[in-house]
Amino acid sequence: RVFESAAADLSSAMGVADGEILKELPIHIRGNHLNLGKPIARNFPEVMRLGGGDFKMPEKQSGRLELAQWMADPRHPLTARVFVNRVWRWHFGRGIVGTTENFGANGDRPTHPELLDWLAGQFVKSGWSVKQMHRLIMNSSAYRMASAHPGAQTANAADPSNGLWWRFEIRRLEAEEIRDSILAVTGLLDQRLGGKTIPLRNRQFFFNHTSKDHTQYDMLRRRSLYMPIVRNNLCDIFEQFDFPDPNLPSGNRHATVVAPQALLMLNSSLVMNASDSLADRLLAAEVDSEAARVTLAYQRVFARPPTAHERDRAVKFLEELAGPPSLMN
């Protein structure tokens, strides 16, 4: 047991394999597996088949490969459009189709259908390259627009919801961005790429209410990209700042402003440790005055110098906090 505990984890990956192949399955009426209808042969719904014609599922295989090939077929009317719409939503906060998870009759109509078609075409031509799609969108004039507009009054009157993308909408940071920025500006962020997600043995981080919680999220310094998402035990900062429910598919995230968010930013161990780290870095900086130290703090946290009012207010606060000098005998 001691030898096994000290041994390195073997490289592993999760995968699937074909099991028993069933030629017919009963319909789940209204999606309820307890309310079964008549059995039917496995197949794609006729309305979803590309180019019409007859499509036969393989008799001795699960059909997963054929399903993947069907979804990634360049002629597929939805796959590329749905994906590029989500990439657009990631960058702009709102998709060309507002209901990112619903392209059906009950979903929103695209604000720019020709743009959606063109982006989908470029995505397929690039070999389904996500990197190329990010580069294409982020180099566009729409993405590089300012949030202010010289003709804002006229534009607001014509398009108050900014459906025509005449300005860039101000967006709130999402949960992962808030956590990463806290660690980055305070010098705590571990910027290593790849490797093990968390410093625990395989499956040790799984948690239920009858077992010991090994997660200790506040001790992790990797980017949020590497954070484990344990469905019944999300880290506090994700839970408070509108991380989507990991038990359900979510096309859009909510944006709330509630008191527990402020309390977490005041009291969580992550923020307290980050604040101590930032203070240590500022105190160790070689500056000639408290005003210069305040300027350095603003530059590190806000990426800009303070205004004269902000600088003077901070210096005054530090002087009041220190109090009058004590008289020594």
Side-chain angles (χ1 to χ4, degrees), residues 56-129:
K56 294 182 179 181
M57 295 288 285
E59 295 184 358
K60 298 182 179 180
Q61 293 175 296
S62 66
R64 287 190 179 94
L65 175 61
E66 289 73 18
L67 175 62
Q69 292 172 337
W70 170 74
M71 291 183 64
D73 191 303
R75 296 172 298 158
H76 197 292
L78 286 178
T79 305
R81 289 176 175 84
V82 169
F83 188 82
V84 299
N85 185 65
R86 291 204 175 215
V87 176
W88 185 277
R89 182 253 174 267
W90 295 339
H91 289 300
F92 287 86
R94 172 166 51 91
I96 299 172
V97 177
T99 51
T100 55
E101 72 283 6
N102 186 355
F103 270 54
N106 294 328
D108 293 344
R109 304 295 298 172
T111 57
H112 298 71
E114 295 86 356
L115 173 60
L116 182 65
D117 291 346
W118 183 80
L119 288 173
Q122 294 299 311
F123 184 48
V124 173
K125 287 180 181 178
S126 70
W128 304 80
S129 170

Side-chain angles (χ1 to χ4, degrees), residues 309-322:
H309 173 69
E310 290 170 336
R311 184 188 63 246
D312 294 343
R313 184 178 60 178
V315 171
K316 182 180 179 181
F317 170 76
L318 292 174
E319 292 173 349
E320 293 175 351
L321 190 66

Side-chain angles (χ1 to χ4, degrees), residues 273-295:
N273 292 335
S275 300
D276 289 341
S277 175
L278 178 61
D280 291 340
R281 296 179 72 193
L282 292 173
L283 291 173
E286 296 182 0
V287 294
D288 55 7
S289 66
E290 290 302 313
R293 203 181 307 276
V294 169
T295 298

Side-chain angles (χ1 to χ4, degrees), residues 152-212:
Q153 186 173 0
T154 303
N156 269 317
D159 180 25
S161 64
N162 193 30
L164 299 178
W165 306 102
W166 52 270
R167 63 175 173 82
F168 196 91
E169 295 185 354
I170 297 176
R171 294 176 54 195
R172 290 184 56 196
L173 293 179
E174 295 181 340
E176 298 95 322
E177 296 164 339
I178 292 173
R179 179 183 174 276
D180 287 356
S181 64
I182 290 173
L183 295 174
V185 301
T186 57
L188 295 178
L189 184 64
D190 182 349
Q191 300 189 50
R192 286 179 299 159
L193 299 178
K196 193 172 178 64
T197 303
I198 54 176
L200 295 174
R201 302 301 299 269
N202 288 344
R203 302 184 180 275
Q204 192 176 13
F205 58 86
F206 285 107
F207 170 76
N208 61 51
H209 296 294
T210 62
S211 62
K212 185 177 180 180

